[in-house]
Amino acid sequence: MSEALQRLREFAKQVLKCVEKDEPVRIPKRTTSNIRYDPEREIFTLGPDKLERRPRTLKGSKKLAQMLSVAAFAKELVEKGRSATLREIYYTSEGWEVDFKDQRESDAIVEDLEATLGLKREEFGVWPEEDGAAVYGDLLVREDGVEIHAERAGISGYNIPPNVDAVEILDCGAERVIAVETMGMYRRLVQERAHEKLNALIVGLKGQAARATRRLLRRLNEELGLPVYVFTDGDPYGWHIYMVIRSGSAKAAHLNEELACPDAKFIGVTATDIVEYDLPTEPLKKTDYKRIEELRRDPRYYDPFWKKELDLLEKLGKKAEQQAFAKYSLDYVVKEYLPAKLDELE
Amino acid sequence: MSEALQRLREFAKQVLKCVEKDEPVRIPKRTTSNIRYDPEREIFTLGPDKLERRPRTLKGSKKLAQMLSVAAFAKELVEKGRSATLREIYYTSEGWEVDFKDQRESDAIVEDLEATLGLKREEFGVWPEEDGAAVYGDLLVREDGVEIHAERAGISGYNIPPNVDAVEILDCGAERVIAVETMGMYRRLVQERAHEKLNALIVGLKGQAARATRRLLRRLNEELGLPVYVFTDGDPYGWHIYMVIRSGSAKAAHLNEELACPDAKFIGVTATDIVEYDLPTEPLKKTDYKRIEELRRDPRYYDPFWKKELDLLEKLGKKAEQQAFAKYSLDYVVKEYLPAKLDELE
């Protein structure tokens, strides 16, 4: 029996026992008061607090019925090797005996189930709508019995599927991973053959990284021992893309142990780069200044490197995109910028 | 020599001749006054009006210098088999002798060049940042010497590349194409094996279809004679996704002859479906009502089918997503809805 089926079954048994004995079912509390920052491992995790769902109260029984309905649906998905999106679960629930006020309510139950089972929802058949990122380079994987090489799947590369834990990594000739924020830069690196010149797997994040992408980066780092570098725009949103890859998001605190990649290194664009490379810039907007303030209050940005960069960015009043290196030539980023940065960091 | 190189060369010669004789260079006018709706072919096209760029006026010489600079850069891209994004062209222009006020100005010059050369910008190396859509099903293509089968590229399918005209279609066992608005529905159809059960290529549009996707749909329709069906959400934005596939956008009037797919058929979700299938709905928002009004004024929505659907949607005051069929079961859309619709249309 799969891990997911086993845990779903255990959960159901536990609920049954609690109902028989009229004892509360205890599930991990996911509210802010129970989210801790672990400065040593540099990730957010859930604390020890539990919610109690009492089977003989109105609210408790409703929440338990909702959780069991979603769990039963998940069991069906896992048994049939199927998946459904959060949206589809909400629509499907229209045919169930318990109901949900709106999709937010059913989404929250799915997250409760994740925290309770200690599984990512992708592992019990609940998938996101969107694709994960794309990978290009010397990587051979097996997906559902089919071997796929990330340089022979077309110029767009290999699309990371939502259930990336089910993907077997068969072979990899690269020595490092370079993950980039925009697909514009992804295509640039592929076209300049950065995967060969820098001996790297190139990952195109498409903005804030999807969970599947973060999980793959973690697996590449952990299973293959590859260093992971993150290359973003030179602005507070780009920097936070890196930070979420490294240490997870507060919202997914119950999953960060599997998603976070604490070894990931930031490779730019820094505020210092904007000055040193004399990059084309745009003025910071109000929302950028606000974001800088928010990041300053986040413990992950307390270290001197980020303090200095946040201060300098604010002082410059400007930000730069990663594509701005095209000012010098299209291949500048692969010939000059990235090699210089890798030298610095390795 | 490639078609693109030849046309770039002819354009340069023509400018040279005009400069020598002090005659204006005439380029197609792309403003609203010159965009025509062709009711017979049901597409927007450019009319016969031309702009005159006089080489010895301040404005004319600047615009011609900008066009020649972009053309020279395009020539380099084509010769080297490279590409650049619109954003990269703007940044690259920082190193040129002519300058652009902002990216809008350089983008407009690229569109002038498209209209003047009669080529899509992808054909002279200017690519969009984002991927096109994904395809799943019995389709074998050759891209850059590599054969790719759309059922053996991973569960996310084959990613349509920006330069889709360079892709060779080698073999296709499907009898029709079903293009769907959301990736949620795309995954649903792939998972329910709609490609086998409905003998179709499944195309995931990711919202409004990219140019490369529209070009591929057109090629599948024209070269392989496959009927194309478009399946969107039941709201004015979804309907317009279909309309742009069928008849092109006004903005790209100079390219619609190659991008539009006038044979494409709309397969739902209609307002009538919302009633007949008793779908879960959401109330129309202000922007939806406004959009309904805009579509009513668009000549492509004059026909009785659309008039009736727009009226009904407004009267219902509600819209439905294509995933709403999950109310009945995850496979309802493949087992019931789509077969019924295909029967009706074929």
Side-chain angles (χ1 to χ4, degrees), chain B residues 39-204:
Chain B
E40 196 156 312
R41 292 187 302 161
E42 301 182 73
I43 61 174
F44 284 107
T45 57
L46 278 194
D49 297 356
K50 305 281 177 204
L51 276 177
E52 301 201 332
R53 302 275 190 225
R54 303 188 169 271
R56 300 213 186 155
T57 63
L58 195 61
K59 188 181 168 197
S61 63
K62 183 178 175 193
K63 287 285 170 200
L64 284 175
Q66 287 177 332
M67 272 186 95
L68 287 173
S69 302
V70 172
F73 187 65
K75 174 170 169 278
E76 212 183 303
L77 290 173
V78 175
E79 280 174 347
K80 292 188 181 163
R82 294 295 176 85
S83 73
T85 63
L86 289 168
R87 193 84 186 130
E88 285 179 321
I89 289 182
Y90 173 61
Y91 282 129
T92 304
S93 74
E94 299 240 338
W96 298 348
E97 298 206 2
V98 295
D99 55 49
F100 296 93
K101 208 166 61 232
D102 50 29
Q103 197 191 325
R104 257 194 316 194
E105 199 177 357
S106 56
D107 287 358
I109 292 289
V110 172
E111 288 180 3
D112 279 345
L113 207 57
E114 282 186 309
T116 305
L117 303 177
L119 290 173
K120 296 185 293 302
R121 61 174 177 258
E122 290 83 353
E123 294 173 273
F124 52 83
V126 184
W127 289 12
E129 282 221 359
E130 289 305 316
D131 277 346
V135 188
Y136 203 90
D138 187 5
L139 176 71
L140 181 69
V141 299
R142 186 157 44 211
E143 195 184 280
D144 223 355
V146 180
E147 287 192 9
I148 302 163
H149 191 283
E151 281 178 35
R152 280 175 234 123
I155 54 159
S156 297
Y158 165 61
N159 258 343
I160 302 170
N163 59 338
V164 69
D165 278 300
V167 173
E168 273 175 274
I169 300 175
L170 299 177
D171 195 20
C172 176
E175 286 172 14
R176 57 182 65 80
V177 180
I178 300 177
V180 302
E181 175 177 347
T182 64
M183 290 313 278
M185 182 51 72
Y186 173 79
R187 288 200 190 288
R188 173 59 43 222
L189 296 191
V190 169
Q191 207 164 102
E192 304 302 335
R193 308 201 73 72
H195 49 290
E196 289 168 4
K197 290 178 188 160
L198 304 175
N199 218 336
L201 297 180
I202 312 298
V203 174

Side-chain angles (χ1 to χ4, degrees), chain A residues 73 77 82-85 87-88 91-92 94-95 127-131 143-144 146 148 152-156 158-159 161-163 182-184 187-188 191-192 206 280 282 321 323-324 326-327 330, chain B residues 73 77 82-85 87-88 91-92 94-95 127-131 143-144 146 148 152-156 158-159 161-163 182-184 187-188 191-192 206 280 282 321 323-324 326-327 330:
Chain A
F73 187 66
L77 290 174
R82 293 295 175 84
S83 72
T85 63
R87 192 85 185 132
E88 284 179 320
Y91 281 128
T92 304
E94 299 240 338
W127 289 12
E129 282 220 0
E130 289 305 316
D131 278 347
E143 195 185 280
D144 224 353
V146 180
I148 302 162
R152 279 175 234 123
I155 54 157
S156 297
Y158 166 60
N159 257 345
N163 61 336
T182 65
M183 292 311 279
R187 289 201 190 287
R188 173 59 41 222
Q191 207 165 102
E192 305 301 336
K206 304 185 186 174
E282 282 178 26
E321 293 177 4
Q323 290 190 307
K327 172 186 174 183
L330 292 178
Chain B
F73 187 65
L77 290 173
R82 294 295 176 85
S83 73
T85 63
R87 193 84 186 130
E88 285 179 321
Y91 282 129
T92 304
E94 299 240 338
W127 289 12
E129 282 221 359
E130 289 305 316
D131 277 346
E143 195 184 280
D144 223 355
V146 180
I148 302 163
R152 280 175 234 123
I155 54 159
S156 297
Y158 165 61
N159 258 343
N163 59 338
T182 64
M183 290 313 278
R187 288 200 190 288
R188 173 59 43 222
Q191 207 164 102
E192 304 302 335
K206 305 186 184 172
E282 282 177 27
E321 294 177 5
Q323 289 189 307
K327 171 186 175 183
L330 292 179

